[in-house]
Amino acid sequence: MLFLTITFAWIVIGVTIYNGYLTRVVHGRMTTKHGNLLTTENGFVFDTGANASFISKKKTGFSLFLFPTIVSDTYNFRKILPVCYAHRLQINDAVAFERFAFVAAPSTASGHEKYDAVIGMNLISKTNLYFSFVENTIDVLPLDSLFDVPSKAIVFEYKGTTKPTLSLKIDGLVIDDILIDTGFDNDLALDKDAITLIKTASNHSSNLITNKTIFASKKQIHYLIKNINIESRYYKDVAVIQSTRRLIGTRFFKRYNHMFWDSKNHKIYLWL
């Protein structure tokens, strides 16, 4: 009876922590590196394509094991990894996350080995974020904060709290369930049928590239489409990866100078 009581209590504690009911965010500003990913100068990548945060235990100090989980990467490679509790993760002098769950990253993780931590949607969803691609900064803001967004800003509305997806009209084709993935460094990832419909022989070039994930690597066809219409706006030289998953990545967002991520209202604002 005592064992069952302890087990039940541990499950309740684990679920409470995992769902972020105890999580606290210390707000402030970070400087980012140059490049397509949203990575801080000291190596923390903000990845909206990850529903959980993926962190080396040495970066969190003392951590407490909660339960095991199955982690899948972009190409459905899977590993069983421990979910742990961290008291605090310090990003820089200003920004920190406290009392949260994370997936303990193995030392053999290939694609993110150069990063100290992957900050996923379990933490991003607790904040609003302003990205300045001109000044290379990320402002971590309170969830109920307001931001002076220009009236001409482009607005994308997404579904889901830890798996943000949206629908886009691309060259007249409506494509649903596109994951917003700032850990993806191209414009788009689409399946073969969708790419066939939006590209023409005179409007693209292609080559074979190798993409890395947290667990492995895979060769994929990379298309550079000269002109493409996305939500009634034309974009040039759009990088599209052929994949079974549908993604919109940071290369697309960085076509603009500013992005405001409104977690509370599930909206993204982009402007020049």
Side-chain angles (χ1 to χ4, degrees):
M1 187 68 181
L2 179 60
F3 175 77
L4 291 176
T5 302
I6 293 173
T7 301
F8 178 75
W10 191 253
I11 291 172
V12 171
I13 292 170
V15 170
T16 300
I17 295 170
Y18 189 74
N19 289 329
Y21 296 126
L22 304 179
T23 301
R24 177 177 177 268
V25 183
V26 180
H27 307 104
R29 173 171 289 187
M30 302 164 291
T31 303
T32 59
K33 294 180 179 179
H34 292 283
N36 284 341
L37 295 184
L38 302 178
T39 309
T40 67
E41 274 191 328
N42 54 352
F44 293 79
V45 59
F46 279 68
D47 185 356
T48 61
N51 59 355
S53 296
F54 195 76
I55 306 169
S56 170
K57 290 173 72 173
K58 65 183 180 181
K59 297 298 177 183
T60 61
F62 172 77
S63 62
L64 187 65
F65 172 79
L66 296 176
F67 51 81
T69 190
I70 298 174
V71 178
S72 299
D73 65 12
T74 302
Y75 308 120
N76 212 30
F77 293 112
R78 296 181 177 183
K79 284 191 176 184
I80 298 176
L81 295 172
V83 174
C84 300
Y85 164 81
H87 177 68
R88 186 178 179 90
L89 177 68
Q90 193 74 40
I91 305 296
N92 65 1
D93 292 342
V95 180
F97 294 95
E98 296 178 343
R99 303 191 298 271
F100 65 93
F102 69 98
V103 177
S107 59
T108 55
S110 63
H112 289 303
E113 61 189 358
K114 60 188 176 214
Y115 304 123
D116 291 323
V118 176
I119 307 300
M121 283 300 295
N122 68 314
L123 295 179
I124 292 174
S125 64
K126 304 299 181 186
T127 71
N128 286 346
L129 299 172
Y130 164 61
F131 302 92
S132 172
F133 302 133
V134 177
E135 298 180 354
N136 294 314
T137 56
I138 304 174
D139 286 349
V140 178
L141 305 168
L143 193 60
D144 58 353
S145 61
L146 300 176
F147 199 85
D148 188 16
V149 176
S151 59
K152 293 183 178 180
I154 296 168
V155 184
F156 290 142
E157 189 165 357
Y158 65 86
K159 298 179 294 183
T161 300
T162 59
K163 187 180 180 182
T165 61
L166 48 70
S167 298
L168 291 177
K169 190 175 184 180
I170 303 176
D171 276 0
L173 178 68
V174 177
I175 302 176
D176 298 318
D177 297 323
I178 300 174
L179 179 66
I180 304 168
D181 187 358
T182 57
F184 174 59
D185 61 359
N186 287 277
D187 287 292
L188 295 166
L190 299 172
D191 57 72
K192 182 179 179 180
D193 291 342
I195 292 174
T196 300
L197 290 171
I198 66 175
K199 71 179 178 62
T200 62
S202 61
N203 193 34
H204 80 280
S205 59
S206 63
N207 64 303
L208 197 64
I209 64 169
T210 300
N211 272 346
K212 284 187 174 183
T213 69
I214 56 175
F215 300 142
S217 61
K218 186 175 182 179
K219 292 187 180 297
Q220 291 179 296
I221 301 176
H222 174 276
Y223 295 93
L224 189 65
I225 300 180
K226 295 177 183 178
N227 288 284
I228 193 169
N229 185 308
I230 302 174
E231 293 295 321
S232 301
R233 295 176 180 84
Y234 279 94
Y235 297 88
K236 294 182 178 180
D237 297 326
V238 176
V240 182
I241 298 294
Q242 183 175 305
S243 172
T244 55
R245 297 191 70 193
R246 301 167 182 173
L247 308 172
I248 183 168
T250 307
R251 191 176 190 270
F252 177 84
F253 299 123
K254 286 196 171 184
R255 291 174 178 273
Y256 295 86
N257 293 332
H258 309 273
M259 179 169 75
F260 177 56
W261 184 286
D262 184 351
S263 290
K264 184 176 182 179
N265 297 300
H266 290 194
K267 291 182 179 180
I268 301 169
Y269 299 85
L270 299 166
W271 67 97
L272 294 173

